[in-house]
Amino acid sequence: MAAALTLLARERGGPAILHQLLVYPNTDHRVPADGEADPALFNRHSVAWYWSHYLADPADGANPLASPLRAPSLAGLPPATVITAEYDPLREEGEEYAEALRAAGVPVELRRYDGMPHGFFAMPGLLDDGRRAQLFAAERLVAAYRTGAAEGAR
């Protein structure tokens, strides 16, 4: 949703968005390959189930507002932080999205957390990498707001 919102804001001329924080983003309506996903928890079947509840019609998945990775252009979007997990069925498309942003000239900081499953970001009390990822995200947002505030003061 955050990635789609930046596309919509660009299309409509605002509001201005300083930064996009994307934590294991789902950026394409396609069923991922099993790959490095966690077969017991969040996997390609989970992704398909969520999509079936998100879209009114599966054909809507081709719309870039549902699948930002399919947007004709990502140029002009705000800088991004993309966080992925090694054992997440969304890792590949999240990393593809980060690369597509970078190719469109958007500043991107991509960080993959090896050994982590989908959902680790919400487990800072159980997983050290969950805590580290939250701190990293907070640092990136603080830096974005400081930069934006400094530019706005000029």
Side-chain angles (χ1 to χ4, degrees):
M1 291 173 111
L5 182 63
T6 63
L7 289 169
L8 194 57
R10 181 191 64 186
E11 178 184 304
R12 295 185 177 177
I17 297 174
L18 291 176
H19 195 83
Q20 47 183 324
L21 173 62
L22 307 171
V23 179
Y24 25 78
N26 195 343
T27 59
D28 193 357
H29 178 249
R30 62 182 157 123
V31 176
D34 282 329
E36 298 292 329
D38 184 335
L41 296 174
F42 192 74
N43 53 51
R44 63 190 223 102
H45 304 291
S46 308
V47 174
W49 184 87
Y50 280 103
W51 274 114
S52 75
H53 288 81
Y54 183 67
L55 300 173
D57 182 325
D60 293 337
N63 185 318
L65 293 179
S67 297
L69 190 55
R70 298 183 189 197
S73 172
L74 300 175
L77 295 181
T81 298
V82 179
I83 294 173
T84 63
E86 180 180 10
Y87 298 114
D88 185 344
L90 303 177
R91 177 179 53 88
E92 184 178 305
E93 71 187 72
E95 293 175 3
E96 284 177 23
Y97 191 69
E99 292 307 317
L101 286 168
R102 189 173 286 124
V106 176
V108 177
E109 180 74 28
L110 169 63
R111 187 160 298 176
R112 177 195 300 173
Y113 287 83
D114 291 333
M116 291 294 105
H118 182 91
F120 84 99
F121 188 85
M123 300 179 207
L126 296 173
L127 299 171
D128 290 341
D129 275 345
R131 185 177 63 258
R132 282 190 274 275
Q134 285 188 3
L135 290 172
F136 172 66
E139 290 166 1
R140 295 285 295 159
L141 291 175
V142 166
Y145 284 106
R146 283 189 178 145
T147 301
E151 290 175 0
R154 291 181 192 163

